[in-house]
Amino acid sequence: RVVWRLGAEGDFSLVGAGEWFFNQHDASWLVDGSILLYDNGNERPGDTLYSRAVIYKVDEQEMSVRQVWEYRTEVYTPFLGGAQLLHNGNVLVHLGGRPPNAGSVDTKAANVVEVTQTEPPEKVWELAVSDQFPSLYKASRYCWRCGR
């Protein structure tokens, strides 16, 4: 049973600054009731294609959402990708798959980055995985000391 739909054609209104997602992946509920997801950006209106990790604060009483944070990736990734909230409050973003020559310094690498939830987000860690066809299906971090 579908309770409600989120997005441009969904049941909620988007309030404040921000925009809807386009071809999202890896959505997760956060403990404060927000939703974190990876937005590939496919079919985004306008001339500029970009991908991002984004957090929306959901108000089910008012049926509204507010974009509260985003990290725009350095390259557009039209498929795959994800985002994970880390125990330290940072966000781990894996840039999914991208076509060759997508604007990165290393066109044969798929990337995973850890960024802060500040404005603007600050990159604090990065992994580049070189391959002929740069893509990552999934990346996640496990905290061995804290058990999560």
Side-chain angles (χ1 to χ4, degrees):
R1 177 174 155 249
V2 176
V3 177
W4 46 257
R5 296 174 303 139
L6 189 65
E9 303 295 321
D11 303 314
F12 288 77
S13 59
L14 181 65
V15 297
E19 64 180 338
W20 287 115
F21 46 83
F22 297 87
N23 294 81
Q24 75 286 350
H25 288 284
D26 202 23
S28 58
W29 280 107
L30 305 182
V31 294
D32 69 353
S34 298
I35 294 178
L36 168 66
L37 58 85
Y38 189 79
D39 172 15
N40 286 100
N42 299 352
E43 301 175 18
R44 184 184 311 283
D47 296 331
T48 305
L49 292 174
Y50 60 89
S51 302
R52 64 192 179 140
V54 61
I55 298 175
Y56 295 99
K57 182 69 176 170
V58 178
D59 185 336
E60 291 185 86
Q61 299 298 326
E62 297 294 322
M63 294 302 285
S64 66
V65 296
R66 178 181 304 276
Q67 180 183 311
V68 295
W69 178 85
E70 75 171 4
Y71 168 72
R72 291 191 185 188
T73 62
E74 295 173 7
V75 295
Y76 166 63
T77 59
F79 58 98
L80 302 175
Q84 174 193 9
L85 181 64
L86 301 176
H87 71 282
N88 63 3
N90 291 347
V91 178
L92 188 73
V93 182
H94 69 279
L95 279 60
R98 64 172 201 243
N101 302 318
S104 172
V105 173
D106 184 357
T107 60
K108 296 212 183 280
N111 299 79
V112 180
V113 297
E114 179 182 341
V115 296
T116 62
Q117 281 194 63
T118 56
E119 184 56 45
E122 178 185 342
K123 189 186 303 182
V124 296
W125 180 85
E126 181 171 17
L127 170 70
V129 180
S130 295
D131 188 50
Q132 182 179 358
F133 303 104
S135 64
L136 288 173
Y137 172 71
K138 186 76 172 169
S140 57
R141 179 170 292 168
Y142 182 81
C143 178
W144 294 102
R145 291 187 196 115
C146 58
R148 52 183 167 174

